[in-house]
Amino acid sequence: APNPGLVTVAQHHSFIALPDSGYEMRKFDPRSGSNAFTFFDYATPVQSSLQKRYIPRHRLAKKDPSAEVSEAVEPIIYYLDNGTPEPVRSALLEGGRWWNQAYEAIGYKNAFQLKMLPDDADPLDVRYNVIQWVHRSTRGWSYGSSIRDPRTGEIIKGHVSLGSLRIRQDFLIAQALMNKPYAERDDNDKAMLELALARIRQLSAHEIGHTLGFSHNFAASTNNRASVMDYPHPYITLKDGVMDFSEAYDTGIGEWDKVTVAYSYTDFPEGTDETEGLNQILEKGQKNGLRYISDRDARPMGSAHILGHLWDGGNSASEELDRVLKVRATAIENFSIDNIRKGEPNTVLEDVFAPLYFFHRYQTEAAAKMIAGLNYNYAVKGDGQLVVEVADRGIQIGAMKGLFKTLDAETIAIPADKLALFPPRAIGYSKTRESFNGKTGVSFDALSAAETAADMTLGFLLHPERASRLIQQKSLDVKQLGLADLFTELIDATISRSHKDQYLNTVQGSINYRVLFHIMNLAAHKNVHPQVNALANEQLRTLRGQFMASDDVDAREMGRRITKFLEEPEEFKVIPAPKIPDGSPIGMDCTN
Ligand SMILES: [Zn+2]
């Protein structure tokens, strides 16, 4: 039997001669979508930059550079791990081969190929670009890495590592969203499998993209899914009340990917001014409205770009949040014992429900980033692109109102009649990192679920960097949304909100305590503008006055906590909400 104390490790060394000097380095441009290969050249004349920036890429040249369409001298060939099972195997082959569309667009014939790895080849052999299918126990990301010539950045071997577990997340999302999929029979999983395979095609293309030298484009989802290098959220729609997965994922290479391939791999005919040719490629993409925003501007919780988001969809973040919340509400309404198979412990239902309950999480993040958000490009002098501007007040207000729905018990409470679906967990079926967390011991904790969801929204909405940006934004334009305005609206939508239903009112209370803690967090935070501390403290004093005059016990408890906080703000630590189950990666992903 497997034994965690005994592990076999295989190490593979490849000793190879460095490539010949026939490789041509191409300069990096921050607008191109390619990664940067950089080094310092201290012999550079003083008027030029010491830091040299080129792109990593495979060696690729046309047999006939003057021909409109030509085969490559040596095509880029990738090999798929021959241990990959069907139907994953066919999906990975299909998705990976999408890249050839982008090479065709720059006049290559069969320049990008994907084949099965020969039986006698080692996947770690440096002579093969490989997509490896690996088993591992963690919720792993996939990786697209490469071995490069350290002198030039030439990619010698692309190596993609895909964790076999990841196909399960999309399957689970579909299982939760479908209306009573297992009511009639237990093998009714075709739609789930198709969604998961659609994701796998996308994943194959995405990870290979990294090994071709490309970085993420998190703005592509707002350009009608223009790139496989974005993180896609399954685009699931409601058609006449029925979940429709047919548009869940894109089915080919994107317009942005073609721009990046053209920049990195165009073989210009003799006599072409390469700098000019490369510029034209980028300007054409720009004219077509394509946007490019990568990790640093999208990944952090405090990031500001209004288009660059992970796992988002749609063209308007707040409209898409609204739409996602409707899909979620319908799926929750339909959710029943028939979302699991006959003979499965009822306990399993709770874990199927988790990704549905938090289905809005990534779109919430996207909408929150509209607040004090910026629109900008990696512009260069003279390219005519928008450099940077603050998001319109209307966009910010719209996003704020949308986000308030995620802090309203009406939207976020698990309907009372669904709670009977979630019994204490069966023996042998303990909680995992994919499960809800709570404070009620063995019983399912409906209040903690709402608290966790609300805390997620508030972590983005009242992020310290966002709060500091609101101070600056208001100082430059008095009509813009400011932090004090945000507090007023937020308190109106939460702490001042009451529900007739006792359960909803109690859930709202759990949400409201989180609102209070996040305002305290800003009041005590050391890395914000002091103006943020000032406004948050002022807000707390106002609230305390109202709370102490109230005859509601929760209001008075909040008042008591504010008093304690104001006496000893140094002692304050945000009490963490029960941890949100892992959601990322959805089927993937990866670093370079
Ligand atoms: Zn990636």
Side-chain angles (χ1 to χ4, degrees), residues 402-432:
L403 287 165
F404 289 163
K405 288 183 199 140
T406 70
L407 297 171
D408 187 338
E410 200 98 52
T411 306
I412 228 63
I414 299 170
D417 62 339
K418 299 292 173 188
L419 296 175
L421 292 170
F422 310 126
R425 299 185 73 97
I427 185 166
Y429 287 80
S430 304
K431 278 183 198 273
T432 69

Side-chain angles (χ1 to χ4, degrees), residues 525-539:
H525 209 282
K526 295 199 170 59
N527 294 325
V528 293
H529 289 319
Q531 290 92 329
V532 170
N533 301 132
L535 287 174
N537 274 303
E538 183 61 22
Q539 187 62 63

Side-chain angles (χ1 to χ4, degrees), residues 99-235:
W99 280 110
N100 194 47
Q101 300 164 11
Y103 289 91
E104 279 174 352
I106 52 169
Y108 274 106
K109 194 177 169 201
N110 298 327
F112 181 88
Q113 300 174 25
L114 176 51
K115 304 175 174 177
M116 291 308 295
L117 189 69
D119 283 342
D120 59 350
D122 188 312
L124 297 177
D125 189 321
V126 75
R127 291 169 296 183
Y128 296 95
N129 300 303
V130 168
I131 301 154
Q132 204 170 6
W133 182 250
V134 296
H135 294 314
R136 56 184 176 194
S137 67
T138 58
R139 172 183 265 279
W141 298 77
S142 301
Y143 300 92
S145 61
S146 56
I147 295 168
R148 301 169 185 174
D149 183 334
R151 305 165 303 174
T152 62
E154 177 181 358
I155 296 173
I156 298 168
K157 171 184 172 63
H159 192 94
V160 172
S161 186
L162 301 177
S164 61
L165 267 185
R166 299 313 334 133
I167 190 169
R168 292 173 181 273
Q169 181 77 10
D170 275 275
F171 193 93
L172 198 61
I173 288 174
Q175 184 179 346
L177 283 166
M178 285 176 73
N179 188 5
K180 302 178 180 54
Y182 298 124
E184 309 289 334
R185 26 187 267 264
D186 288 339
D187 61 352
N188 184 29
D189 48 20
K190 191 162 165 273
M192 302 168 204
L193 192 61
E194 265 169 24
L195 181 74
L197 290 173
R199 181 71 193 87
I200 285 284
R201 285 182 207 107
Q202 179 85 27
L203 177 62
S204 180
H206 179 106
E207 300 302 340
I208 290 172
H210 283 310
T211 71
L212 294 171
F214 308 149
S215 58
H216 292 129
N217 182 0
F218 292 123
S221 53
T222 58
N223 273 145
N224 192 25
R225 304 199 280 198
S227 175
V228 298
M229 301 311 292
D230 203 337
Y231 282 4
H233 195 269
Y235 188 74

Side-chain angles (χ1 to χ4, degrees), residues 374-431:
L374 299 173
N375 192 1
Y376 58 96
N377 290 294
Y378 304 133
V380 304
K381 181 174 173 180
D383 73 358
Q385 289 198 88
L386 165 75
V387 179
V388 59
E389 67 182 17
V390 175
D392 283 350
R393 180 176 188 277
I395 290 177
Q396 297 196 33
I397 300 284
M400 180 183 75
K401 303 253 161 158
L403 287 165
F404 289 163
K405 288 183 199 140
T406 70
L407 297 171
D408 187 338
E410 200 98 52
T411 306
I412 228 63
I414 299 170
D417 62 339
K418 299 292 173 188
L419 296 175
L421 292 170
F422 310 126
R425 299 185 73 97
I427 185 166
Y429 287 80
S430 304
K431 278 183 198 273

Side-chain angles (χ1 to χ4, degrees), residues 187-487:
D187 61 352
N188 184 29
D189 48 20
K190 191 162 165 273
M192 302 168 204
L193 192 61
E194 265 169 24
L195 181 74
L197 290 173
R199 181 71 193 87
I200 285 284
R201 285 182 207 107
Q202 179 85 27
L203 177 62
S204 180
H206 179 106
E207 300 302 340
I208 290 172
H210 283 310
T211 71
L212 294 171
F214 308 149
S215 58
H216 292 129
N217 182 0
F218 292 123
S221 53
T222 58
N223 273 145
N224 192 25
R225 304 199 280 198
S227 175
V228 298
M229 301 311 292
D230 203 337
Y231 282 4
H233 195 269
Y235 188 74
I236 294 161
T237 55
L238 270 174
K239 288 197 177 133
D240 305 323
V242 179
M243 292 294 159
D244 185 288
F245 300 148
S246 61
E247 299 168 69
Y249 290 110
D250 213 354
T251 52
I253 215 70
E255 287 309 304
W256 171 254
D257 304 318
K258 288 181 182 167
V259 172
T260 304
V261 165
Y263 185 90
S264 293
Y265 289 97
T266 296
D267 187 4
F268 294 104
E270 194 106 13
T272 313
D273 177 343
E274 183 168 304
T275 304
E276 185 50 36
L278 292 172
N279 236 335
Q280 280 172 7
I281 289 166
L282 297 179
E283 275 168 14
K284 193 172 149 220
Q286 201 178 305
K287 263 201 206 91
N288 291 337
L290 296 172
R291 301 292 300 270
Y292 168 52
I293 287 298
S294 204
D295 292 63
R296 202 198 47 190
D297 303 282
R299 211 176 269 279
M301 284 185 77
S303 69
H305 205 286
I306 59 168
L307 300 177
H309 316 294
L310 285 60
W311 315 115
D312 68 321
N315 296 323
S316 150
S318 53
E319 280 167 30
E320 179 63 8
L321 175 60
D322 219 42
R323 198 192 69 78
V324 164
L325 285 172
K326 284 190 185 117
V327 170
R328 174 183 175 275
T330 303
I332 290 178
E333 200 180 301
N334 293 337
F335 196 78
S336 76
I337 190 68
D338 290 326
N339 286 81
I340 58 171
R341 298 174 191 85
K342 197 173 171 202
E344 279 189 286
N346 289 47
T347 297
V348 173
L349 207 52
E350 180 189 326
D351 293 341
V352 175
F353 186 65
L356 166 57
Y357 182 72
F358 294 109
F359 188 64
H360 62 300
R361 63 195 293 177
Y362 300 108
Q363 203 57 45
T364 296
E365 174 175 349
K369 289 178 177 178
M370 303 294 114
I371 313 289
L374 299 173
N375 192 1
Y376 58 96
N377 290 294
Y378 304 133
V380 304
K381 181 174 173 180
D383 73 358
Q385 289 198 88
L386 165 75
V387 179
V388 59
E389 67 182 17
V390 175
D392 283 350
R393 180 176 188 277
I395 290 177
Q396 297 196 33
I397 300 284
M400 180 183 75
K401 303 253 161 158
L403 287 165
F404 289 163
K405 288 183 199 140
T406 70
L407 297 171
D408 187 338
E410 200 98 52
T411 306
I412 228 63
I414 299 170
D417 62 339
K418 299 292 173 188
L419 296 175
L421 292 170
F422 310 126
R425 299 185 73 97
I427 185 166
Y429 287 80
S430 304
K431 278 183 198 273
T432 69
R433 61 195 292 185
E434 317 283 337
S435 311
F436 286 96
N437 294 298
K439 301 166 184 162
T440 56
V442 297
S443 70
F444 182 81
D445 188 348
L447 300 189
S448 282
E451 190 186 350
T452 301
D455 192 67
M456 169 193 72
T457 299
L458 292 162
F460 290 112
L461 185 60
L462 298 185
H463 189 279
E465 291 170 9
R466 198 154 284 117
S468 290
R469 281 203 294 275
L470 281 168
I471 301 291
Q472 174 169 325
Q473 150 174 317
K474 185 80 174 176
S475 77
L476 289 165
D477 179 358
V478 72
K479 291 198 202 76
Q480 262 290 9
L481 183 69
L483 183 59
D485 310 323
L486 176 58
F487 283 151

